[in-house]
Amino acid sequence: MIRVLDENAMSRKLEPVCSLSGHTDRVWQVAWDPAGRTLASCSADKTVRLWSETGAGWSCATILADGHERTVRGVAFSPSGRLLASASFDSTAAVWDREQAWECAATLEGHESEVKAVAWSRSGKYLATCSRDKSVWLWELTDDRELDFECAAVLMAHTQDVKRVSWSPVEDRLASCGYDDTVRLYRDDGDDWVTGAVLKGHSSTVWAVAWDGAGKRIASASDDGTVRIWAETQPPDQWSCVALLSGFHQRAVYDVAWCPLTGLLATACGDDAVRVFAEEPGAGDGGAPAFGLVASVPRAHGRDVNAVSWSPTERGLLASAGDDNLVKLWRVSEE
């Protein structure tokens, strides 16, 4: 059942800041650099665009057009902000170097099919990639001067297409999700990378996973129209679903982002809407967390919203990307 919600009753507003045009095909993902001064977007037009704010507002500062031969599906900045990784349907990941005027400094090959996402570990030592070939690869940066990478592990835990990878913000622990309706966790046991918990509960593809700022909980977004919140109930690798956001989204939820500054959750949906949720402490049964919808823009994009990403430095600043070829910035009002 879809909840009918009165927007006027919501406690916050999601105000438009600007709309950034330039991509000539759908925009798949957006990612901030750690300083919050550069926003990267990637597109089916085979390019990555870097946006920055000037006195006249936000504009495209750089176009990275020579790294991939097909759709660029994912982007992620390294923790230092020096490197940008991109994932492409051409079966490769590329690493771009800010210190070399954003030249493509490394091309990572090994996947047998489309690479869907990239993610850096908190230390910047590891880069994770995932693919339609059902695998997650861990690449170790062995020389940060020459930008040499070696494959540290190939993880074959999923049974189908892997859609997204996401590192814990507090430890070298990785989450992945995919077409097999699961979220899977991996950790280094000292000798090798091992598969830990398998989080089951979604009834369709899990498109995205996001850790909270403390690395204690995970949010997962699914084609089944729900978002699940998972918590580790007994370390290591005993996890449970502690909250379910159901009835808010009218189609698939393609992305979820957990703001480290405010604790707000944002979702990107196939019904063209961007939604923001806030936790209501102790509101659930037995003291379990509950989340309420506090802001929403029903027609945030002209077509499917594919991605959302919170600024790491400015409270309430949210980026989104959609099938209408646009990147948009929003500001969530404080209570």
Side-chain angles (χ1 to χ4, degrees):
M1 180 178 69
I2 301 300
R3 301 184 188 182
V4 179
L5 298 158
D6 181 1
E7 285 186 63
N8 295 323
M10 295 184 197
S11 61
R12 309 192 190 196
K13 297 293 184 182
L14 194 57
E15 302 287 354
V17 175
C18 61
S19 180
L20 305 177
S21 60
H23 283 296
T24 58
D25 207 332
R26 68 184 61 181
V27 187
W28 280 116
Q29 197 174 17
V30 281
W32 296 89
D33 79 333
R37 292 194 294 266
T38 302
L39 180 70
S41 60
C42 61
S43 169
D45 67 11
K46 308 175 188 177
T47 72
V48 174
R49 284 178 175 255
L50 302 179
W51 310 85
S52 60
E53 189 176 18
T54 64
W58 286 83
S59 61
C60 182
T62 307
I63 301 174
L64 310 180
D66 59 353
H68 295 292
E69 299 175 354
R70 295 182 63 194
T71 290
V72 187
R73 184 65 174 85
V75 283
F77 281 97
S78 66
S80 69
R82 173 189 168 187
L83 304 177
L84 176 73
S86 57
S88 174
F89 283 6
D90 65 10
S91 304
T92 72
V95 178
W96 311 81
D97 187 358
R98 186 193 296 262
E99 293 182 358
Q100 300 296 324
W102 293 117
E103 286 187 2
C104 183
T107 299
L108 307 181
E109 300 177 330
H111 284 291
E112 297 176 357
S113 188
E114 301 165 355
V115 182
K116 296 298 182 69
V118 284
W120 294 92
S121 67
R122 66 186 183 113
S123 64
K125 180 180 179 180
Y126 296 106
L127 177 68
T129 59
C130 64
S131 170
R132 188 178 179 181
D133 66 13
K134 309 176 188 177
S135 72
V136 173
W137 286 50
L138 298 184
W139 305 86
E140 183 177 357
L141 179 58
T142 56
D143 186 334
D144 59 5
R145 292 181 59 120
E146 298 296 328
L147 296 183
D148 289 332
F149 290 83
E150 293 181 359
C151 179
V154 176
L155 306 169
M156 299 294 297
H158 285 280
T159 60
Q160 297 190 60
D161 187 349
V162 190
K163 299 295 187 183
R164 190 71 68 86
V165 280
S166 178
W167 289 93
S168 164
V170 299
E171 59 182 331
D172 283 346
R173 198 174 196 184
L174 182 70
S176 65
C177 63
Y179 203 72
D180 60 8
D181 309 345
T182 69
V183 175
R184 296 173 185 264
L185 295 172
Y186 315 88
R187 56 185 171 81
D188 186 353
D189 69 355
D191 296 318
D192 204 355
W193 285 88
V194 296
T195 303
V198 180
L199 311 185
K200 297 180 179 180
H202 286 294
S203 60
S204 190
T205 300
V206 185
W207 288 100
V209 287
W211 296 80
D212 72 353
K216 299 293 187 182
R217 295 181 293 180
I218 291 172
S220 57
S222 173
D223 203 70
D224 64 16
T226 71
V227 173
R228 286 178 176 264
I229 308 298
W230 310 85
E232 192 170 27
T233 53
Q234 185 178 340
D237 295 326
Q238 295 285 331
W239 289 72
S240 297
C241 180
V242 295
L244 175 65
L245 282 63
S246 179
F248 297 100
H249 304 89
Q250 299 179 37
R251 292 187 60 194
V253 189
Y254 290 127
D255 199 12
V256 60
W258 212 324
C259 182
L261 301 179
T262 64
L264 295 173
L265 273 175
T267 60
C269 189
D271 62 11
D272 310 337
V274 170
R275 296 174 175 87
V276 176
F277 299 84
E279 185 171 356
E280 302 166 354
D285 295 337
F291 291 78
L293 182 65
V294 296
S296 175
V297 178
R299 293 285 292 172
H301 285 266
R303 293 164 62 191
D304 294 8
V305 188
N306 295 317
V308 281
S309 181
W310 293 101
S311 166
T313 57
E314 186 173 341
R315 290 175 65 90
L317 184 60
L318 180 70
S320 65
D323 273 7
D324 57 4
N325 306 352
L326 296 176
V327 174
K328 294 189 176 185
L329 295 182
W330 311 86
R331 184 166 284 108
V332 181
S333 63
E334 297 283 351
E335 283 189 303

